[in-house]
Amino acid sequence: VHPLRLKLAIGGSTVLEGRLEDAGTIRADDCYWTLETDDADGSKYVSVVLVKATMGYQSWEALLDSDRPDTTVTHRVALDVRVGERTGRLVLGLFGNTVPKTVENFRALVTGEKGSGRAGQPLSLKGSAFHRVIPGFMAQGGDITQGNGTGGESIYGESFPDENFKLRHENRGVVAMANAGPDTNSSQFYITFTPTPHLDGKHVVFGQVESGWSTLMMMESAGSDSGTPTSPVTLVDCRMMGLDEDAEAAVEELAAAQREQQLAEQFMAEMDAEAAAGAGAAAGEQQQ
């Protein structure tokens, strides 16, 4: 046992080895092992007792680095968010290997493929609002039935159970399910502006912002201490992306299209101004 590593070998063969990154550091001199007998079937097993020197971020839930949950991106989503008069794009990576049911709910709400739900509203995130935005905390949205945080509906019915709490709120841009207590997941979700470990074990994390950080900053800037946005924050469009699509390029694609639109609008405004000036000059000449 090392303060940051553990290796267990039996008969010269390694059976357990890894970093103790998530469990914190270990007081190696106080650790020990014993050979035990299973009361049920009489089989032998090794019991290892580790004494922690410091608390790790994930405590004992992921003792070894190899025990950390699978954060392979299985699905990628583009969300176009309008804040006031400005629009930006977020690209989210979803972790379907760890929370497949939760990811499937979000994926289907992005595509809108399930039609209408029991409440008679489309099971689609498109057009829904981020009704609660608190700087330094998170932006919450996805209430597709009421729009104010009191509603929402999943593709499985009004709500569905917490899948697991393996993934943690350890970064800015974590995507997780909002709820009204245990096992009340619907369509509401939130995106964090900072690590929020106090939400671990209470909300199911299922994704992470991959690109569009300026859009997340724009969303945060529209927040308030009360949570009521100072400007409307709306999810105006959403779509699934291919895993081979570049996240940064997808964000820049929208930004480039907006720049072209602004230039076109500026050109048309200048043309209108020139036409108005010409019409005014012609009218003056006629009066003379």
Side-chain angles (χ1 to χ4, degrees):
V1 177
H2 179 275
L4 291 175
R5 296 190 302 276
L6 170 67
K7 180 177 181 179
L8 175 64
I10 299 177
S13 300
T14 299
V15 295
L16 186 66
E17 182 176 15
R19 289 183 56 84
L20 296 168
E21 185 173 331
D22 290 333
T25 56
I26 299 298
R27 297 208 305 262
D29 292 341
D30 295 328
C31 300
Y32 61 92
W33 64 271
T34 57
L35 184 62
E36 306 286 347
T37 301
D38 192 309
D39 293 335
D41 59 13
S43 61
K44 302 290 185 179
Y45 66 92
V46 175
S47 173
V48 180
V49 177
L50 304 177
V51 181
K52 298 179 66 175
T54 60
M55 291 297 291
Y57 185 74
Q58 289 189 297
S59 189
W60 294 103
E61 294 194 29
L63 178 62
L64 300 180
D65 186 60
S66 58
D67 294 331
R68 290 180 67 91
D70 187 348
T71 53
T72 302
V73 172
T74 58
H75 303 75
R76 184 165 285 135
V77 176
L79 306 181
D80 292 351
V81 181
R82 178 179 296 144
V83 181
E85 298 300 320
R86 299 175 295 169
T87 302
R89 178 169 289 169
L90 293 172
V91 174
L92 314 180
L94 309 183
F95 308 132
N97 288 341
T98 299
V99 280
K101 187 171 184 178
T102 307
V103 165
E104 175 58 19
N105 179 64
F106 192 77
R107 184 203 66 78
L109 290 171
V110 166
T111 65
E113 65 191 53
K114 300 296 184 178
S116 296
R118 296 179 182 178
Q121 301 288 340
L123 291 171
S124 172
L125 291 173
K126 184 175 180 178
S128 62
F130 284 90
H131 61 273
R132 185 176 179 222
V133 183
I134 302 176
F137 184 24
M138 58 83 194
Q140 180 177 336
D143 183 349
I144 60 176
T145 60
Q146 301 297 326
N148 57 12
T150 64
E153 186 175 353
S154 80
I155 65 170
Y156 308 114
E158 183 177 353
S159 64
F160 65 100
D162 298 317
E163 192 163 5
N164 62 62
F165 301 112
K166 294 179 180 179
L167 297 162
R168 300 292 172 137
H169 298 75
E170 54 189 349
N171 302 308
R172 175 175 171 84
V174 165
V175 187
M177 296 299 295
N179 61 43
D183 301 323
T184 58
N185 301 284
S186 60
S187 54
Q188 290 197 50
F189 68 99
Y190 59 85
I191 304 174
T192 64
F193 298 135
T194 189
T196 53
H198 64 284
L199 298 179
D200 290 343
K202 301 175 183 177
H203 296 267
V204 178
V205 173
F206 64 92
Q208 171 71 45
V209 173
E210 293 186 306
S211 186
W213 298 104
S214 60
T215 300
L216 194 64
M217 290 177 61
M218 184 171 65
M219 295 169 65
E220 186 173 11
S221 70
S224 67
D225 291 341
S226 69
T228 302
T230 57
S231 299
V233 182
T234 308
L235 205 169
V236 294
D237 200 6
C238 50
R239 69 174 179 89
M240 298 303 300
M241 296 175 55
L243 292 178
D244 58 343
E245 288 187 65
D246 185 88
E248 294 289 345
V251 171
E252 178 55 31
E253 178 185 30
L254 177 63
Q258 289 180 321
R259 288 193 295 268
E260 290 182 6
Q261 182 178 354
Q262 289 170 354
L263 288 173
E265 291 175 351
Q266 181 180 351
F267 175 76
M268 293 302 297
E270 291 174 353
M271 293 292 291
D272 290 343
E274 290 180 5
E285 292 176 358
Q286 291 176 357
Q287 290 177 356
Q288 292 178 358

